[in-house]
């Protein structure tokens, strides 16, 4: 379980935050914007790093992926020590917005709790097909023919390999990433509409 949580953090959040920190962008964004952009950049970084190392054999690829995450983290830590990271903007337009976001995320969390992990075991669903395509892509990339969701499968295959967890745990962990949707929507609405009306 600890390995699963750490794998989810590294592939889906921390690597993007490290990239934001390395390029000095964290100080220009609010905390919520940092979290949302960290997720987006982590997703892209993990996918493209997997694509770059896809021709290397499976066990060596996992070690290289982990090394790239460690290297990225070290560079970010060095950069973090050199610069002041005071945030320029607030995360919430009004303090009550925190409660609204908490309620929206609680609704998501409850629905995930009641649907998973049983839903991830149903054959023929999108979830099971994406999982299978990700496993095929990681193990035998030359046999992978589904390129319509290539970046998603690259990200998921790296997460599956690093976490080394059963399918139900992997699917339940990946579905929790949907908690980013209310945060992303709020960050977008705040950015565009706060000056018009703080509500």
């Amino acid at each position: 379980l600890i390995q699963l949580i750490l794998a989810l953090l590294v592939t889906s959040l921390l690597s993007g935050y490290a990239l934001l920190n390395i390029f000095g962008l964290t100080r220009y964004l609010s905390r919520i914007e940092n979290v949302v952009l960290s997720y987006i950049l982590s997703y892209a970084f993990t996918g493209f790093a997997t694509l770059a190392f896809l021709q290397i054999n499976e066990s060596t690829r996992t070690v290289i992926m982990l090394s790239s995450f460690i290297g990225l983290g070290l560079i970010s830590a060095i950069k973090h020590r050199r610069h002041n990271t005071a945030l320029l903007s607030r995360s919430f337009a009004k303090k009550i917005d925190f409660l609204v976001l908490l309620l929206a995320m609680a609704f998501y969390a409850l629905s995930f709790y009641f649907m998973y992990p049983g839903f991830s075991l149903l054959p023929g669903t999108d979830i099971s097909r994406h999982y299978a395509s990700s496993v095929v892509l990681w193990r035998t990339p030359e046999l992978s023919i589904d390129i319509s969701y290539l970046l998603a499968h690259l990200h998921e295959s790296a997460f599956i390999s690093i976490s080394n967890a059963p399918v139900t745990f992997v699917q339940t962990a990946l579905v929790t990433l949907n908690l980013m949707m209310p945060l992303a929507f709020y960050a977008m609405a705040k950015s565009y509409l706060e000056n018009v009306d703080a509500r």
Side-chain angles (χ1 to χ4, degrees):
L1 186 60
I2 292 171
Q3 186 175 349
L4 177 80
I5 293 169
L6 291 175
L8 188 67
L9 285 174
V10 167
T11 60
S12 304
L13 202 61
L14 295 178
S15 54
Y17 181 78
L19 286 171
L20 284 173
N21 191 32
I22 288 169
F23 292 111
L25 299 174
T26 54
R27 60 185 166 193
Y28 300 112
L29 305 167
S30 68
R31 284 190 176 92
I32 289 182
E33 291 168 339
N34 273 318
V35 170
V36 171
L37 287 175
S38 294
Y39 166 65
I40 293 167
L41 287 175
S42 294
Y43 192 84
F45 176 80
T46 303
F48 287 125
T50 305
L51 182 63
F53 304 129
L54 210 53
Q55 298 307 318
I56 302 169
N57 70 8
E58 200 177 329
S59 58
T60 309
R61 190 180 323 135
T62 304
V63 173
I64 291 174
M65 288 291 295
L66 289 171
S67 301
S68 69
F69 289 131
I70 291 169
L72 191 64
L74 289 174
I75 294 168
S76 175
I78 292 168
K79 181 91 172 186
H80 186 73
R81 290 183 61 187
R82 291 185 185 165
H83 295 291
N84 183 14
T85 58
L87 298 173
L88 296 178
S89 63
R90 298 174 296 126
S91 290
F92 300 106
K94 298 169 86 177
K95 292 188 188 237
I96 194 73
D97 293 351
F98 174 75
L99 181 61
V100 174
L101 269 176
L102 192 64
L103 287 172
M105 292 172 74
F107 171 75
Y108 274 83
L110 282 173
S111 64
F112 300 154
Y113 175 76
F114 288 116
M115 283 194 296
Y116 289 85
F119 190 67
S120 63
L121 295 175
L122 294 175
T125 60
D126 282 345
I127 298 165
S128 57
R129 282 189 288 113
H130 289 307
Y131 181 86
S133 295
S134 299
V135 170
V136 168
L137 181 63
W138 185 266
R139 291 182 183 165
T140 53
E142 64 276 1
L143 298 179
S144 181
I145 55 171
D146 188 8
I147 60 168
S148 54
Y149 294 98
L150 183 62
L151 190 61
H153 294 159
L154 288 165
H155 175 268
E156 187 173 350
S157 65
F159 172 66
I160 291 167
S161 173
I162 293 170
S163 68
N164 200 22
V167 62
T168 53
F169 288 4
V170 167
Q171 296 298 355
T172 304
L174 285 174
V175 80
T176 60
L177 293 175
N178 287 323
L179 292 174
M180 289 292 168
M181 285 178 18
L183 291 177
F185 183 81
Y186 180 82
M188 178 196 65
K190 179 183 176 293
S191 175
Y192 287 106
L193 302 174
E194 183 179 25
N195 294 333
V196 177
D197 189 342
R199 290 175 294 175

